[in-house]
Amino acid sequence: MYGGDLLVRGGRVVLPNGVFRADVLILDGRVALIGKDLREEGVEVIDAGGKLVFPGIVDEHVHMREPGLEHKDDFTHGTKAAAAGGVTTVLEMPNTLPPVDSRAVFEEKVRRLSSKAYVDFGLYGVIHNTNLDRFGELVNSGAVGFKVFLGPTTGNIPPPDDGSLYEALLKSARLGVALAFHAENWDLVKYFTGKVRSSGRKDPQAHTDSRPSICEVEAIQKLVLLSRETGGYVHIVHMSAKEGVELVRRARAEGINVTGETCPHYLLLSTEDYSRYGNLVKVNPPVRDRANQEELWRAVNDGTITALGSDHAPHSTEEKSGDVWSSAAGFTGVQTFLPLMLDAALRGLMPITKIPELMAENPARLFRIYPRKGTLVVGGDGDLVVVDPGAETVIRREDLYAKHPITPYIGWRLRGKVMFTVVRGMVVAEEGKVVNGPRGVFVRRGADLGQQP
Ligand code: DOR
Ligand code: ZN
């Protein structure tokens, strides 16, 4: 058995190119038919009258912390949170312990997570200063792509030297594998952090001032140049700075293989929120001022930003509660990812079709799991989300599945509500509550239509 049988009837299907009234029939986990007035005997039916039906959300950027950092969170809690929030596939980052830098570690991580997944999952490998020779074996193990940390982050994984970076991008071009970059210049971050810290500041804004835009811009500029030279696929994740947006916009206009991701927190939070939420908002790169935020929205709407990711980065309550320098960067986000962006779309900040484009199709294409994932097409996986645009969601701590449900969004009142999350024809969550056990599977890069896991 690959999945379940399900008929979703009477909804409006939202795809990147438009909104269509259509029924979706899923048989044994795969989309069997999309059309008008479908009937099928003996299958479960969801009445989606008045509702929107999205392809299952692919969150290309999560840190579920397993193995090795389970005091922050684990894959069980993390994928339950995903299911509750309408995310049907997560792409899991490699800064776990040990870092995912070889086939052996990769395969052990797949084994470990497979019995715990409430939604389907793909894994990144990491390229750091000593493992470039593992590139091929990680691709062959099914890695969807690689993460490269140019700046300091949880796990402090050192970046490759410039020669290795160049060669990694040559390999990226040759094999069609995307590299996702944490684009902050490590030396500049150290320099500015030293300066701001030694001034004695402890206010939350000191974090943003210790990682000014130039750290990000320098890294992006270099990556654009390397991509132009090598043809490698450079994906800049968690973009926060307007000058970085401009670099990516120009590079894309020139036909360079550069794509960009931003996250709900850069679109919805700014330095003005430090007074309200304090260090809760601490994240790397940091949130910036309103002018940066406005440029990011422009970039979402003009196609410069090609993807959204939650950068779900949970930490323990203790780790989050230090001062501006000692508190950990990042917070949980996978469960609130779709609700927040749905609200933004329903408030007119972007077209509703940007949701399937930036949160399903583009990530699935870039990380080579399309069209099995990321869209609704006959033969593809029956992953979808039914949303009620007329209902309301209030983010409540007690509804979050994270081990440490810490986020600035508690209490936010949002337009729209996730009603059903469906993975391969199986309902995995209903109105924010996880139903059924862990049935998620590992999705390899290159997974094609009709391929068994
Ligand atoms: O704030 C962050 N936290 N930014 C990152 O890039 C990584 C993440 C983490 O893993 O904690
Ligand atoms: Zn991240």
Side-chain angles (χ1 to χ4, degrees), residues 1-8 26 29 43-47 80 83-84 86-88 118-119 382-386 418-440:
M1 193 196 85
Y2 186 65
D5 300 338
L6 182 71
L7 176 58
V8 180
I26 302 166
V43 303
E44 198 184 328
V45 176
I46 290 179
D47 175 9
K80 278 186 173 179
V87 172
T88 54
Y118 280 76
V119 297
D383 300 345
L384 55 83
V385 192
V386 179
V418 176
M419 305 302 288
F420 296 94
T421 309
V422 173
V423 175
R424 283 174 285 107
M426 301 176 287
V427 175
V428 296
E430 220 175 306
E431 291 193 46
K433 296 275 168 281
V434 174
V435 293
N436 292 317
R439 296 176 180 171

Short mmCIF file of all heavy atoms in Angstrom, two decimals, residues 1-8 26 29 43-47 80 83-84 86-88 118-119 382-386 418-440:
data_model
loop_
_atom_site.label_atom_id
_atom_site.label_comp_id
_atom_site.label_asym_id
_atom_site.label_seq_id
_atom_site.Cartn_x
_atom_site.Cartn_y
_atom_site.Cartn_z
N MET A 1 0.84 -1.21 0.00
CA MET A 1 0.00 0.00 0.00
C MET A 1 0.87 1.25 0.00
O MET A 1 1.79 1.37 0.79
CB MET A 1 -0.90 0.00 1.24
CG MET A 1 -2.01 1.03 1.17
SD MET A 1 -2.76 1.34 2.78
CE MET A 1 -1.69 2.57 3.48
N TYR A 2 0.55 2.15 -0.91
CA TYR A 2 1.32 3.40 -1.00
C TYR A 2 0.66 4.52 -0.20
O TYR A 2 1.32 5.44 0.28
CB TYR A 2 1.46 3.78 -2.47
CG TYR A 2 2.35 4.97 -2.71
CD1 TYR A 2 3.72 4.91 -2.42
CD2 TYR A 2 1.83 6.15 -3.23
CE1 TYR A 2 4.54 6.00 -2.64
CE2 TYR A 2 2.65 7.25 -3.46
CZ TYR A 2 4.01 7.17 -3.17
OH TYR A 2 4.82 8.24 -3.38
N GLY A 3 -0.68 4.45 -0.08
CA GLY A 3 -1.38 5.51 0.64
C GLY A 3 -2.86 5.19 0.71
O GLY A 3 -3.26 4.04 0.58
N GLY A 4 -3.68 6.24 0.88
CA GLY A 4 -5.11 6.03 1.04
C GLY A 4 -5.92 6.42 -0.19
O GLY A 4 -5.38 6.91 -1.18
N ASP A 5 -7.24 6.14 -0.11
CA ASP A 5 -8.19 6.55 -1.15
C ASP A 5 -9.00 7.71 -0.59
O ASP A 5 -9.48 7.64 0.55
CB ASP A 5 -9.17 5.42 -1.49
CG ASP A 5 -8.46 4.18 -2.00
OD1 ASP A 5 -7.32 4.30 -2.49
OD2 ASP A 5 -9.06 3.09 -1.91
N LEU A 6 -9.19 8.74 -1.38
CA LEU A 6 -9.89 9.93 -0.88
C LEU A 6 -10.42 10.74 -2.04
O LEU A 6 -9.75 10.90 -3.06
CB LEU A 6 -8.90 10.78 -0.07
CG LEU A 6 -9.43 12.05 0.59
CD1 LEU A 6 -10.35 11.70 1.76
CD2 LEU A 6 -8.26 12.91 1.11
N LEU A 7 -11.65 11.24 -1.86
CA LEU A 7 -12.22 12.17 -2.86
C LEU A 7 -12.44 13.52 -2.17
O LEU A 7 -13.13 13.59 -1.16
CB LEU A 7 -13.54 11.61 -3.40
CG LEU A 7 -14.31 12.48 -4.39
CD1 LEU A 7 -13.48 12.82 -5.62
CD2 LEU A 7 -15.60 11.78 -4.82
N VAL A 8 -11.82 14.55 -2.71
CA VAL A 8 -12.01 15.90 -2.17
C VAL A 8 -12.92 16.63 -3.15
O VAL A 8 -12.52 16.90 -4.29
CB VAL A 8 -10.66 16.63 -2.01
CG1 VAL A 8 -10.86 18.04 -1.45
CG2 VAL A 8 -9.73 15.84 -1.09
N ILE A 26 -8.04 10.71 -5.15
CA ILE A 26 -6.76 10.06 -4.84
C ILE A 26 -7.03 8.58 -4.62
O ILE A 26 -7.92 8.21 -3.85
CB ILE A 26 -6.15 10.69 -3.56
CG1 ILE A 26 -5.95 12.20 -3.74
CG2 ILE A 26 -4.83 10.02 -3.21
CD1 ILE A 26 -5.68 12.94 -2.43
N GLY A 29 -3.01 6.56 -2.63
CA GLY A 29 -1.97 7.56 -2.34
C GLY A 29 -1.61 8.47 -3.49
O GLY A 29 -0.92 9.46 -3.28
N VAL A 43 -15.01 5.29 -1.24
CA VAL A 43 -13.84 6.02 -0.76
C VAL A 43 -14.29 7.10 0.21
O VAL A 43 -15.42 7.59 0.15
CB VAL A 43 -13.01 6.67 -1.90
CG1 VAL A 43 -12.57 5.65 -2.91
CG2 VAL A 43 -13.76 7.81 -2.57
N GLU A 44 -13.41 7.47 1.08
CA GLU A 44 -13.69 8.55 2.02
C GLU A 44 -13.86 9.85 1.23
O GLU A 44 -13.17 10.07 0.23
CB GLU A 44 -12.49 8.67 2.97
CG GLU A 44 -12.79 9.43 4.25
CD GLU A 44 -11.53 9.60 5.11
OE1 GLU A 44 -10.67 8.71 5.09
OE2 GLU A 44 -11.44 10.64 5.78
N VAL A 45 -14.79 10.71 1.67
CA VAL A 45 -15.04 11.96 0.94
C VAL A 45 -14.84 13.15 1.88
O VAL A 45 -15.30 13.13 3.02
CB VAL A 45 -16.48 11.99 0.38
CG1 VAL A 45 -16.78 13.33 -0.29
CG2 VAL A 45 -16.70 10.85 -0.61
N ILE A 46 -14.13 14.17 1.40
CA ILE A 46 -14.08 15.44 2.12
C ILE A 46 -14.91 16.43 1.31
O ILE A 46 -14.67 16.61 0.11
CB ILE A 46 -12.63 15.96 2.27
CG1 ILE A 46 -11.85 15.09 3.24
CG2 ILE A 46 -12.63 17.42 2.74
CD1 ILE A 46 -10.39 15.52 3.43
N ASP A 47 -15.89 17.04 1.96
CA ASP A 47 -16.69 18.07 1.29
C ASP A 47 -15.93 19.39 1.41
O ASP A 47 -15.85 19.96 2.49
CB ASP A 47 -18.06 18.16 1.95
CG ASP A 47 -18.87 19.32 1.36
OD1 ASP A 47 -18.43 19.91 0.35
OD2 ASP A 47 -19.94 19.63 1.94
N LYS A 80 4.75 16.30 13.66
CA LYS A 80 3.35 16.49 14.08
C LYS A 80 2.96 17.96 13.87
O LYS A 80 1.86 18.27 13.39
CB LYS A 80 3.18 16.15 15.57
CG LYS A 80 3.01 14.68 15.85
CD LYS A 80 2.71 14.50 17.35
CE LYS A 80 2.37 13.08 17.67
NZ LYS A 80 2.11 12.87 19.10
N ALA A 83 2.33 18.55 10.22
CA ALA A 83 1.02 18.02 9.80
C ALA A 83 -0.10 18.96 10.25
O ALA A 83 -0.99 19.30 9.47
CB ALA A 83 0.82 16.62 10.38
N ALA A 84 -0.04 19.39 11.49
CA ALA A 84 -1.09 20.25 12.02
C ALA A 84 -1.20 21.56 11.24
O ALA A 84 -2.28 22.13 11.11
CB ALA A 84 -0.82 20.55 13.49
N GLY A 86 -0.42 22.05 7.95
CA GLY A 86 -0.64 21.97 6.50
C GLY A 86 0.61 21.67 5.69
O GLY A 86 0.59 21.73 4.46
N VAL A 87 1.71 21.34 6.37
CA VAL A 87 2.96 21.00 5.66
C VAL A 87 2.99 19.49 5.48
O VAL A 87 2.91 18.73 6.45
CB VAL A 87 4.18 21.48 6.46
CG1 VAL A 87 5.48 20.97 5.84
CG2 VAL A 87 4.19 23.01 6.54
N THR A 88 3.11 19.04 4.22
CA THR A 88 3.06 17.60 3.95
C THR A 88 4.43 17.00 3.65
O THR A 88 4.61 15.80 3.70
CB THR A 88 2.11 17.31 2.77
OG1 THR A 88 2.52 18.10 1.65
CG2 THR A 88 0.68 17.65 3.14
N TYR A 118 5.56 12.01 10.74
CA TYR A 118 4.11 12.18 10.54
C TYR A 118 3.81 12.77 9.17
O TYR A 118 2.66 12.79 8.74
CB TYR A 118 3.51 13.05 11.66
CG TYR A 118 3.28 12.27 12.92
CD1 TYR A 118 4.35 11.93 13.75
CD2 TYR A 118 2.01 11.81 13.26
CE1 TYR A 118 4.14 11.17 14.89
CE2 TYR A 118 1.80 11.06 14.40
CZ TYR A 118 2.87 10.74 15.22
OH TYR A 118 2.66 9.98 16.34
N VAL A 119 4.83 13.31 8.51
CA VAL A 119 4.68 13.78 7.12
C VAL A 119 5.91 13.25 6.36
O VAL A 119 6.85 12.73 6.97
CB VAL A 119 4.62 15.33 7.02
CG1 VAL A 119 3.40 15.88 7.76
CG2 VAL A 119 5.91 15.98 7.55
N GLY A 382 -0.81 12.24 -3.64
CA GLY A 382 -2.05 12.92 -3.23
C GLY A 382 -1.84 13.66 -1.93
O GLY A 382 -2.40 13.32 -0.89
N ASP A 383 -1.02 14.70 -1.99
CA ASP A 383 -0.74 15.55 -0.83
C ASP A 383 -1.49 16.86 -1.02
O ASP A 383 -1.26 17.56 -2.02
CB ASP A 383 0.75 15.90 -0.74
CG ASP A 383 1.66 14.69 -0.60
OD1 ASP A 383 1.17 13.60 -0.28
OD2 ASP A 383 2.88 14.85 -0.80
N LEU A 384 -2.34 17.21 -0.09
CA LEU A 384 -3.06 18.48 -0.24
C LEU A 384 -3.49 19.04 1.12
O LEU A 384 -3.44 18.34 2.14
CB LEU A 384 -4.24 18.32 -1.20
CG LEU A 384 -5.29 17.24 -0.92
CD1 LEU A 384 -6.33 17.75 0.08
CD2 LEU A 384 -5.99 16.85 -2.22
N VAL A 385 -3.90 20.30 1.07
CA VAL A 385 -4.37 20.98 2.27
C VAL A 385 -5.71 21.64 1.94
O VAL A 385 -5.81 22.35 0.93
CB VAL A 385 -3.40 22.09 2.73
CG1 VAL A 385 -3.76 22.56 4.13
CG2 VAL A 385 -1.97 21.63 2.69
N VAL A 386 -6.70 21.40 2.77
CA VAL A 386 -8.00 22.06 2.60
C VAL A 386 -8.07 23.20 3.61
O VAL A 386 -7.85 23.00 4.81
CB VAL A 386 -9.16 21.06 2.82
CG1 VAL A 386 -10.50 21.76 2.66
CG2 VAL A 386 -9.03 19.88 1.85
N VAL A 418 -6.60 26.18 8.49
CA VAL A 418 -6.25 24.88 7.89
C VAL A 418 -7.23 23.84 8.42
O VAL A 418 -7.29 23.60 9.63
CB VAL A 418 -4.80 24.49 8.24
CG1 VAL A 418 -4.47 23.10 7.69
CG2 VAL A 418 -3.82 25.53 7.69
N MET A 419 -8.00 23.23 7.53
CA MET A 419 -9.03 22.28 7.97
C MET A 419 -8.55 20.82 7.91
O MET A 419 -8.73 20.07 8.84
CB MET A 419 -10.29 22.42 7.10
CG MET A 419 -10.87 23.82 7.04
SD MET A 419 -11.32 24.48 8.67
CE MET A 419 -12.76 23.50 9.05
N PHE A 420 -7.94 20.45 6.77
CA PHE A 420 -7.45 19.07 6.61
C PHE A 420 -6.05 19.08 6.00
O PHE A 420 -5.81 19.83 5.06
CB PHE A 420 -8.34 18.25 5.66
CG PHE A 420 -9.74 18.04 6.14
CD1 PHE A 420 -10.76 18.90 5.75
CD2 PHE A 420 -10.04 16.96 6.97
CE1 PHE A 420 -12.06 18.70 6.18
CE2 PHE A 420 -11.34 16.76 7.41
CZ PHE A 420 -12.35 17.64 7.02
N THR A 421 -5.18 18.25 6.52
CA THR A 421 -3.89 18.01 5.88
C THR A 421 -3.88 16.56 5.42
O THR A 421 -4.14 15.66 6.23
CB THR A 421 -2.72 18.24 6.87
OG1 THR A 421 -2.88 19.52 7.47
CG2 THR A 421 -1.38 18.17 6.16
N VAL A 422 -3.57 16.37 4.15
CA VAL A 422 -3.63 15.03 3.56
C VAL A 422 -2.26 14.67 2.98
O VAL A 422 -1.71 15.42 2.17
CB VAL A 422 -4.71 14.99 2.44
CG1 VAL A 422 -4.67 13.66 1.70
CG2 VAL A 422 -6.09 15.27 3.02
N VAL A 423 -1.71 13.55 3.41
CA VAL A 423 -0.45 13.04 2.85
C VAL A 423 -0.75 11.72 2.15
O VAL A 423 -1.25 10.78 2.77
CB VAL A 423 0.61 12.81 3.95
CG1 VAL A 423 1.88 12.16 3.37
CG2 VAL A 423 0.98 14.13 4.64
N ARG A 424 -0.45 11.66 0.85
CA ARG A 424 -0.71 10.46 0.04
C ARG A 424 -2.11 9.88 0.31
O ARG A 424 -2.27 8.69 0.54
CB ARG A 424 0.39 9.41 0.27
CG ARG A 424 1.69 9.75 -0.46
CD ARG A 424 2.85 8.85 -0.16
NE ARG A 424 3.39 9.12 1.16
CZ ARG A 424 3.25 8.34 2.22
NH1 ARG A 424 2.65 7.18 2.12
NH2 ARG A 424 3.75 8.70 3.38
N GLY A 425 -3.10 10.76 0.27
CA GLY A 425 -4.48 10.31 0.40
C GLY A 425 -4.91 10.00 1.82
O GLY A 425 -6.06 9.62 2.05
N MET A 426 -4.01 10.15 2.77
CA MET A 426 -4.35 9.87 4.18
C MET A 426 -4.48 11.18 4.95
O MET A 426 -3.57 12.03 4.89
CB MET A 426 -3.26 9.01 4.82
CG MET A 426 -3.06 7.67 4.10
SD MET A 426 -1.71 6.66 4.78
CE MET A 426 -0.27 7.54 4.21
N VAL A 427 -5.60 11.35 5.65
CA VAL A 427 -5.76 12.55 6.47
C VAL A 427 -4.81 12.42 7.66
O VAL A 427 -4.88 11.46 8.42
CB VAL A 427 -7.22 12.70 6.95
CG1 VAL A 427 -7.35 13.89 7.90
CG2 VAL A 427 -8.16 12.87 5.75
N VAL A 428 -3.89 13.39 7.80
CA VAL A 428 -2.94 13.33 8.92
C VAL A 428 -3.27 14.36 10.00
O VAL A 428 -2.81 14.25 11.14
CB VAL A 428 -1.47 13.50 8.46
CG1 VAL A 428 -1.05 12.33 7.56
CG2 VAL A 428 -1.23 14.82 7.75
N ALA A 429 -4.05 15.38 9.65
CA ALA A 429 -4.48 16.35 10.67
C ALA A 429 -5.82 16.95 10.26
O ALA A 429 -6.11 17.12 9.08
CB ALA A 429 -3.45 17.45 10.84
N GLU A 430 -6.61 17.23 11.29
CA GLU A 430 -7.93 17.79 11.09
C GLU A 430 -8.10 18.95 12.04
O GLU A 430 -7.93 18.78 13.26
CB GLU A 430 -8.96 16.69 11.41
CG GLU A 430 -10.12 16.68 10.46
CD GLU A 430 -11.06 15.50 10.74
OE1 GLU A 430 -10.59 14.34 10.78
OE2 GLU A 430 -12.25 15.78 10.93
N GLU A 431 -8.36 20.12 11.49
CA GLU A 431 -8.51 21.35 12.29
C GLU A 431 -7.40 21.50 13.33
O GLU A 431 -7.67 21.74 14.51
CB GLU A 431 -9.88 21.40 12.93
CG GLU A 431 -10.98 21.60 11.90
CD GLU A 431 -12.30 21.98 12.53
OE1 GLU A 431 -12.32 22.86 13.41
OE2 GLU A 431 -13.32 21.37 12.14
N GLY A 432 -6.18 21.32 12.90
CA GLY A 432 -5.04 21.56 13.78
C GLY A 432 -4.70 20.42 14.72
O GLY A 432 -3.75 20.52 15.49
N LYS A 433 -5.47 19.33 14.66
CA LYS A 433 -5.19 18.17 15.53
C LYS A 433 -4.67 17.03 14.69
O LYS A 433 -5.27 16.65 13.68
CB LYS A 433 -6.47 17.70 16.24
CG LYS A 433 -7.06 18.74 17.19
CD LYS A 433 -6.41 18.66 18.58
CE LYS A 433 -6.77 19.84 19.46
NZ LYS A 433 -6.02 21.07 19.21
N VAL A 434 -3.55 16.46 15.13
CA VAL A 434 -2.97 15.33 14.40
C VAL A 434 -3.83 14.10 14.62
O VAL A 434 -4.24 13.81 15.75
CB VAL A 434 -1.53 15.07 14.89
CG1 VAL A 434 -0.95 13.81 14.27
CG2 VAL A 434 -0.65 16.28 14.57
N VAL A 435 -4.15 13.42 13.52
CA VAL A 435 -4.89 12.16 13.64
C VAL A 435 -4.02 11.08 13.01
O VAL A 435 -3.23 11.35 12.13
CB VAL A 435 -6.26 12.25 12.92
CG1 VAL A 435 -7.17 13.24 13.63
CG2 VAL A 435 -6.12 12.65 11.45
N ASN A 436 -4.13 9.89 13.48
CA ASN A 436 -3.35 8.75 12.97
C ASN A 436 -1.88 8.81 13.40
O ASN A 436 -1.40 9.83 13.88
CB ASN A 436 -3.44 8.63 11.45
CG ASN A 436 -4.83 8.26 11.02
OD1 ASN A 436 -5.46 7.39 11.62
ND2 ASN A 436 -5.34 8.92 10.00
N GLY A 437 -1.21 7.71 13.17
CA GLY A 437 0.18 7.57 13.62
C GLY A 437 1.17 8.06 12.58
O GLY A 437 0.78 8.65 11.58
N PRO A 438 2.46 7.83 12.84
CA PRO A 438 3.49 8.31 11.91
C PRO A 438 3.56 7.44 10.65
O PRO A 438 3.95 6.29 10.72
CB PRO A 438 4.78 8.18 12.73
CG PRO A 438 4.49 7.15 13.77
CD PRO A 438 3.01 7.15 14.02
N ARG A 439 3.16 7.99 9.53
CA ARG A 439 3.16 7.23 8.27
C ARG A 439 3.97 7.90 7.18
O ARG A 439 3.84 7.58 6.01
CB ARG A 439 1.73 7.07 7.76
CG ARG A 439 0.85 6.25 8.68
CD ARG A 439 -0.54 6.27 8.11
NE ARG A 439 -1.47 5.52 8.91
CZ ARG A 439 -2.77 5.53 8.71
NH1 ARG A 439 -3.28 6.27 7.74
NH2 ARG A 439 -3.56 4.82 9.47
N GLY A 440 4.79 8.89 7.58
CA GLY A 440 5.59 9.60 6.59
C GLY A 440 6.70 8.73 6.04
O GLY A 440 7.14 7.78 6.70
#
